[in-house]
């Protein structure tokens, strides 16, 4: 029963993690296939993959912290949006060679949102600990509402 | 006492994580040593290391999710097998230069197994949540049995 | 209330993770800015960044395991020290081109300390499980005292 409580609090995060793993596998397949052909595209694919992989642990860490500290639904929602942005970034990177490639960074806004969720969660926890006032429910409602703002392109 | 319950549910996963950290340190030592000598081997070592490191966060995330959502023993067992495969991959990568190197991906089967464990765990949790039927024990037994199939080369 | 207990046990770790995310963002900004200018510095920046990013999942995994298995305060303290060392390493890497660059590895001592914390935590858990003797409080006190040794350069 206790184990079910644990799963209850994280299952949305697990789902997003699984989707991100699928996406990683898709990227890796691309790199794998290109590494056999040795077209000029290879560098772009492996570079896009490396940029995505560089940011991956950071993303996972922030998403899980946000989900554990505050509330899992908005964190998982932001995670899904991040994965969409990453997909667009990867595909955009493979675009026409003449075209300039996107920069090193992507999804800054979403990482920032998740970061703020963590900060608010910790701040709220300290408030509860030292003053006994718990605004968690209000904060969770506001966060859920604010997460829809991420949909604005 | 509560803290001991937490550790009880994750200690096998922690052990596998520690072994993987030792392995990372071994890989890093190799890269470190080669970077001083500047033999032609350097590229192969650093490439093997990079491929291993690219897959590392994915592996950790899937293993921990599988361990938390379903059952830690089969997840830790699959993790150990993955580390063996990775060791073999790394050593194989450093083999004779004439030989073709292994591809970018490795341990696909084990990642897939851990992935399915997560999916089954989440599905089982949703069943329990909406229908009240808990097949966790059966699923755990089946998973433990199925994990031995990973030993087949 | 249960959720607050969870946050209580991890909030220092979350703070360190957030600081590390900020540092990653700082590194990424450096890489991003350099990739526009294409100075000879670019290779050094991206190499320093890659070395830091290679070690990042290992660091996060060990820190969280140490924090969960034994005690969060020394783990978070060691994490902060690690981030300082990493900052120094990154800045040192960008130093004068004539100067030899630091090696591939850094912060070995801190990773080793966190590793030992995990081992002690697991060992203590097994003692508690099979012999019923719980030395956790003593071990935590010793660990807190030992963590100050990390301050010695």
């Amino acid at each position: 029963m206790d184990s079910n409580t644990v799963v209850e609090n994280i299952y949305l995060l697990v789902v997003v993690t699984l989707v991100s793993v699928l996406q990683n596998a898709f990227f890796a397949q691309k790199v794998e296939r290109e590494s056999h052909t040795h077209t000029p595209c290879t560098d772009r694919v492996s570079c896009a993959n490396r940029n995505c992989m560089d940011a991956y642990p950071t993303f996972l860490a922030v998403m899980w912290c946000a989900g554990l500290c505050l509330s899992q639904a908005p964190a998982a929602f932001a995670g899904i949006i991040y994965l969409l942005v990453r997909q667009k970034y990867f595909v955009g990177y493979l675009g026409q060679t003449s075209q300039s490639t996107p920069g090193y960074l992507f999804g800054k806004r979403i990482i920032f949102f998740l970061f703020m969720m963590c900060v608010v969660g910790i701040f709220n926890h300290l408030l509860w600990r030292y003053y006994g006032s718990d605004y968690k429910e209000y904060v969770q409602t506001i966060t859920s509402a604010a997460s829809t703002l991420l949909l604005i392109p």
Side-chain angles (χ1 to χ4, degrees), chain A:
Chain A
M1 208 52 69
D2 181 63
S3 163
N4 272 321
T5 324
V6 171
V7 177
E8 178 69 32
N9 284 324
I10 61 169
Y11 77 100
L12 285 175
L13 300 174
V14 172
V15 168
V16 176
T17 306
L18 290 184
V19 175
S20 77
V21 167
L22 276 186
Q23 204 183 25
N24 285 347
F26 167 74
F27 292 169
Q29 283 280 352
K30 282 273 188 196
V31 174
E32 172 96 355
R33 212 181 312 150
E34 293 296 330
S35 70
H36 290 315
T37 55
H38 287 296
T39 57
C41 191
T42 313
D43 279 350
R44 292 170 81 91
V45 175
S46 74
C47 190
N49 182 55
R50 193 161 308 141
N51 289 355
C52 288
M53 283 300 117
D54 270 6
Y56 186 59
T58 311
F59 159 67
L60 272 192
V62 182
M63 188 185 73
W64 278 83
C65 286
L68 291 176
C69 288
L70 199 57
S71 144
Q72 67 164 341
F77 179 75
I80 286 287
I81 303 274
Y82 178 84
L83 294 181
L84 289 177
V85 169
R86 191 166 77 147
Q87 183 74 28
K88 209 176 141 196
Y89 173 83
F90 189 82
V91 171
Y93 217 96
L94 308 188
Q96 293 169 14
T97 325
S98 57
Q99 206 177 313
S100 73
T101 53
Y104 179 71
L105 289 168
F106 60 96
K108 275 170 275 197
R109 201 171 41 146
I110 297 157
I111 296 288
F112 180 73
F113 174 77
L114 288 168
F115 190 88
M116 288 317 293
M117 272 183 71
C118 294
V119 171
V120 169
I122 298 252
F123 191 71
N124 183 65
H125 173 72
L126 293 179
L127 271 186
W128 168 80
R129 194 181 177 195
Y130 291 111
Y131 297 98
S133 51
D134 196 349
Y135 302 109
K136 199 154 198 173
E137 301 219 347
Y138 303 103
V139 174
Q140 284 177 347
T141 314
I142 293 169
T143 312
S144 302
S147 69
T148 57
L149 291 178
L150 290 175
L151 286 175
I152 301 169

